[in-house]
Amino acid sequence: MHELFCRWSQPNTLPVAIRKSADAVPYFNPIKYLSHEEFHVLYLNRAHTPLYCASLFKGGITGTITDIRIVMKRALQLNATAMIVAHNHPSGALVPSENDKRMTRKLIAAAKTLDLALLDHLIITASGYFSFSDQG
């Protein structure tokens, strides 16, 4: 009972705004050691404060299917204005594939149409991450 009281009486800390790719990486740590690919999205408000991190798609060892309409639908449901997407590479490769590049372009175009911003696309591995934003 004492533990419950202590947790209840602690002040809630607000999520910290995402300012750079490294700020977003901890939200995607759960996928770094997976043996299959997953695609997650961190939805943000106007101040780039996280609203929700969603695991949207699960695939196989070498890829996953990403439905852009579902990514955008969830953004609209959450009243998000920006998002950061991430997927893992079980192989450990920190180099984006042509499919990764194509998906990023499609997500940017779809987001722009809905007045949303895709701030970054991260590739997460056990050894580190690749940021499309950081790499231009």
Side-chain angles (χ1 to χ4, degrees), residues 25 29 31-34 88-95 123-130:
V25 171
N29 277 338
I31 64 173
K32 71 189 323 185
Y33 297 110
L34 296 177
N88 64 317
H89 277 180
S91 67
L94 283 172
V95 179
I123 297 172
I124 308 291
T125 71
S127 64
Y129 71 95
F130 173 90

Side-chain angles (χ1 to χ4, degrees), residues 76-129:
L76 295 173
Q77 290 170 332
L78 293 167
N79 292 322
T81 59
M83 61 191 130
I84 296 171
V85 300
H87 75 282
N88 64 317
H89 277 180
S91 67
L94 283 172
V95 179
S97 68
E98 286 306 313
N99 283 340
D100 295 338
K101 293 174 187 176
R102 189 172 24 261
M103 178 55 61
T104 303
R105 287 191 294 270
K106 285 176 145 183
L107 285 165
I108 289 169
K112 195 177 289 189
T113 300
L114 297 170
D115 203 22
L116 300 168
L118 178 67
L119 301 179
D120 206 347
H121 180 171
L122 303 173
I123 297 172
I124 308 291
T125 71
S127 64
Y129 71 95

Side-chain angles (χ1 to χ4, degrees), residues 62-79:
T62 59
T64 185
I65 303 296
T66 303
D67 189 331
I68 293 173
R69 294 168 296 184
I70 292 172
V71 174
M72 298 305 150
K73 177 182 176 184
R74 183 72 62 93
L76 295 173
Q77 290 170 332
L78 293 167
N79 292 322

